[in-house]
Amino acid sequence: AQSVTQLDSQVPVFEEAPVELRCNYSSSVSVYLFWYVQYPNQGLQLLLKYLSGSTLVKGINGFEAEFNKSQTSFHLRKPSVHISDTAEYFCAVSDQGTDKLIFGTGTRLQVFP
Amino acid sequence: NAGVMQNPRHLVRRRGQEARLRCSPMKGHSHVYWYRQLPEEGLKFMVYLQKENIIDESGMPKERFSAEFPKEGPSILRIQQVVRGDSAAYFCASSQQGTGAEPLHFGNGTRLTVT
């Protein structure tokens, strides 16, 4: 069965600093990978997705992620964070051919002024 | 084009009552997914439905929980005889094709509190 590990439950960072949120998945088959963001009391919004092709994926709000098949990782990065990036970030995986997403436990990014 | 609509946003039930959560998918979407988010945890898959069919209910508790997606109207997640452990945020998501190549669109959730 698929599983997703987000190693950091919380990541505190100062404004304008770079950030990396880590995500590893377990799978021996082809997968789709996603990062979602959740603001307080809201649903999930898609940041970016990897389906195939280039391993570097650019998303909204200046975020990007790199798919690394050999390390089964899909880490999320942003070179310079803003206060407004404070939120919960979820990594998710699905088997190709299905929408069923398996989520990690989330990383709470807290940006300080 | 309205997004995924869930109602109510907040629902309070006493132990033993029934909870009904409604989800209207995006226009043109026929695939609906329900997820549960417990405090400080990620989202756990519960059930996947298409119109009038349950495709995958591997994440649904065996008792008290049921889901439907009728030909007309919203998808309903029903929890009978609620217990305190059912307190959580329940999210609905929808997609058009169900192939995984398009992302799921999520509603804002229903926050169920059992007192």
Side-chain angles (χ1 to χ4, degrees):
Chain A
Q2 292 275 14
S3 68
V4 177
T5 302
Q6 291 184 246
L7 296 167
D8 306 300
S9 59
Q10 294 190 53
V11 173
V13 65
F14 286 109
E15 195 174 19
E16 297 184 7
V19 70
E20 178 180 83
L21 306 183
R22 295 180 291 171
C23 172
N24 288 87
Y25 65 95
S26 67
S27 175
S28 60
V29 298
S30 297
V31 296
Y32 296 144
L33 294 156
F34 304 83
W35 275 98
Y36 283 85
V37 60
Q38 183 181 31
Y39 299 102
N41 297 316
Q42 293 188 25
L44 277 70
Q45 178 183 358
L46 180 72
L47 274 178
L48 48 80
K49 62 182 178 182
Y50 172 79
L51 304 182
S52 65
S54 172
T55 57
L56 185 63
V57 181
K58 293 191 183 297
I60 63 171
N61 300 341
F63 284 93
E64 63 181 33
E66 185 157 18
F67 170 59
N68 188 318
K69 188 174 182 179
S70 62
Q71 296 186 5
T72 59
S73 69
F74 191 55
H75 300 332
L76 181 71
R77 301 186 185 100
K78 186 169 182 177
S80 176
V81 294
H82 300 136
I83 295 285
S84 59
D85 292 323
T86 295
E88 189 91 21
Y89 291 79
F90 292 97
C91 181
V93 62
S94 68
D95 289 329
Q96 286 189 7
T98 171
D99 275 343
K100 180 179 170 182
L101 291 176
I102 306 300
F103 284 88
T105 51
T107 297
R108 185 176 301 276
L109 175 64
Q110 194 154 11
V111 181
F112 294 95
Chain B
N1 188 14
V4 177
M5 304 299 293
Q6 288 188 251
N7 65 82
R9 288 295 306 272
H10 300 275
L11 182 61
V12 180
R13 285 286 178 266
R14 291 197 182 98
R15 279 179 297 172
Q17 290 184 319
E18 178 180 288
R20 277 181 176 247
L21 289 63
R22 287 177 291 277
C23 168
S24 295
M26 284 184 70
K27 187 176 181 180
H29 287 194
S30 59
H31 301 260
V32 166
Y33 300 78
W34 285 94
Y35 286 82
R36 176 165 64 175
Q37 184 178 31
L38 293 168
E40 307 303 319
E41 293 187 19
L43 280 77
K44 302 292 186 185
F45 168 80
M46 298 182 75
V47 62
Y48 163 36
L49 311 102
Q50 292 181 31
K51 286 285 188 181
E52 300 184 278
N53 287 303
I54 296 175
I55 308 302
D56 181 347
E57 56 181 350
S58 58
M60 287 277 272
K62 298 299 180 194
E63 298 178 349
R64 302 187 297 108
F65 284 71
S66 62
E68 63 177 10
F69 188 17
K71 187 176 180 181
E72 301 291 338
S75 175
I76 305 287
L77 179 67
R78 183 180 175 205
I79 311 172
Q80 295 178 291
Q81 299 175 325
V82 296
V83 300
R84 288 221 171 107
D86 297 332
S87 294
Y90 292 83
F91 290 94
C92 171
S94 73
S95 70
Q96 190 174 32
Q97 298 172 352
T99 61
E102 53 170 316
L104 296 184
H105 296 263
F106 283 83
N108 284 335
T110 293
R111 280 150 184 85
L112 172 65
T113 302
V114 179
T115 61

